[in-house]
Every structure is written in C-alpha cells, then in structure tokens.
Amino acid sequence: MEKATVFNIQRFSIYDGPGIRTSVFLKGCNLRCLWCHNPESISPQRQLGFYPEKCIGCGNCFRACPEGAHIAAPDGHTIDRTKCVSCGKCANDCFAEALTMLGEETTSEEVVRAVLTDRGYYERSGGGVTFTGGECMLKPDFIRECAALLSAEGISVAVDTAGNVPFESFEKVLPYADLFLYDVKAADPDLHRRLTGVGNERILENLKRLASLGKRLIVRYPFIPPYNDGEAEAIASLLAPLPVELVEIMPYHHLGEGKYRPLGMENRAAEARVPSDDALEAAVTAFAHRGIPARRT
Ligand code: SF4
Ligand code: SF4
C-alpha cells in the first residue's frame, strides 16, 4: 500500500474545485515560489513547528530531545534545526502545545477512510476530493491508489498541481481524476524561473497534453503584485487555443506570512502586495477578451 506525508485533511472546502470537497494536502514541492503561502508543504519530511508565544518554560522538551536540539539562549528558547531529526518526542511532551509536528505518514487506505465520512456532502453538492500540496503529483502512485479507491466509491477526484513532473506521472492518475486544477504562474520562462526556481517549459507542455486528452481543466493564476501581475495578457494568449473551462485568478493574501517563523524558515516575499480590485478586474477582462471564462477568487 502506498504512503505519503499528509499535513492536512481539510473538510468542507469550497475553494478547491466544484461543490463541497475535502482537500488532502501532501508535503513536498519541487517549486520554490517566492510568495508560497503553504511553507509547511515545501519539505517532504515531517517538520517541527515552534510557537514561542505559547511556551510556559516547563523544560519538558529539553529533557525529551535525544539530539540536544533545544537551546536556552539569553534572548529565549530556540531550536537548532540542523540537529532536529523530526522524531516528535519533544512535541509529545509539550502540554502547552507550543511544539507540534507538521505532517504524518499516511496510507492511501487511511486517507480514503477519512474522506469517505463526508461522502453525503459530496453527493449533494456535486463535490468530491481534491489532492493538493505542496505538489501532490510528486506522489503519483499514492494519488493513483487513493483515486482508484474513491472512483470505485463513485466519488469525484480533482488534482491540484503546478505540473512540473514527467507526463508519465499524469498518465498514472488520468484514469481516475475527473478534473485538474492547474497552476500557471507566469507565461515568460525567464520570469517563471526567477519567481519559482524552475522554467515553465515542461509545465506548459503537460498542460497542452492534458488539454488534448479532453480532461476537465481549471487554470489557477496566483496574482501576486509586483511579481507576476503583468502576466495576465500573456497567459491569456497562451491559454486561448486550449479548452480551459475556467481561469481562477487568485489574489495574494497575507495569511501565509505567519507560517514561516514557527518552521524556522525565511519569508522571501517581502514585496508581495494584495492586489487592488481594479487590477484584478483588468486581469479578468484580459481573459474575457480572448473568450476564456475567468473569475477572481
Ligand atoms: S515543552 Fe513546550 S512549554 Fe515546555 S519549554 Fe518546551 S516548548 Fe515550552
Ligand atoms: S523533533 Fe525530536 S529531534 Fe527534533 S527537536 Fe523535537 S525531540 Fe529533538
């Protein structure tokens, strides 16, 4: 049975595809978007989160850690992350919940059992289950196994992906996925590389191949001034020949910023801004002019 490191199973989601859905978040991503709002999804490993504002100074974590990773510094309690092996022992002994482990190795059967509890909501709303991350397509065998079990139960499966994987990975899940939520972050390859750490050649090629197979496609355009808000026209002309059902323009928000410090990570999107209504409407219009249905989320 396939396993993956899952960091969240979010019930009653209305943002990850049609109807009421359960979103299954996998850890591990091969892009490094400057504005990432799920930094806990980047590493494929379990990670220790530390929320010092909850710490009551009981010292349990110092005694529990076999690696000596907890450090009492003059300016407060810190963690030497080069020593941490993510064993979770300190989090187990932290009754103040200042320490928590992010991510749990989970089997496909466990995921399916968890999401089936809400099947009535999926049926009544036209919803289903969405696999996301991180980049869930880095675990195609896991997705395939989950999706096959869900399809056998008559439950719709969507895959939320940035598409930077070999097309063979898509071929594994194609028989069981009804819908792809496909990120396009920039049309210009050099800009894409500066913003995400990788070029977009394979991403766009995979998008075209999925479209040619008649798969339902919703493209998601994260709209992050000042990084890629100038890409609407170019993305629209790139998508114009493709049978894209909808473009969702997803404005930057600040909700991810507080997630970096507990993980000991640096937020690199210091310049990111919430876009204006006018800028979002102009982006919607750029797609509409090419006959592509679009909406801001
Ligand atoms: S166990 Fe939790 S509350 Fe106690 S010192 Fe460690 S982080 Fe603080
Ligand atoms: S997760 Fe394990 S290794 Fe890491 S700080 Fe806690 S006890 Fe130490």
Side-chain angles (χ1 to χ4, degrees), residues 206-221:
N206 284 344
L207 176 63
K208 286 175 193 159
R209 288 183 73 175
L210 285 176
S212 73
L213 295 172
K215 279 289 161 187
R216 282 186 69 193
L217 278 172
I218 293 178
V219 166
R220 300 176 124 188
Y221 168 26

Side-chain angles (χ1 to χ4, degrees), residues 50 55-61 77 94 96 98-99:
F50 177 40
C55 175
I56 56 171
C58 69
N60 282 358
C61 54
H77 174 174
C94 179
L99 296 165

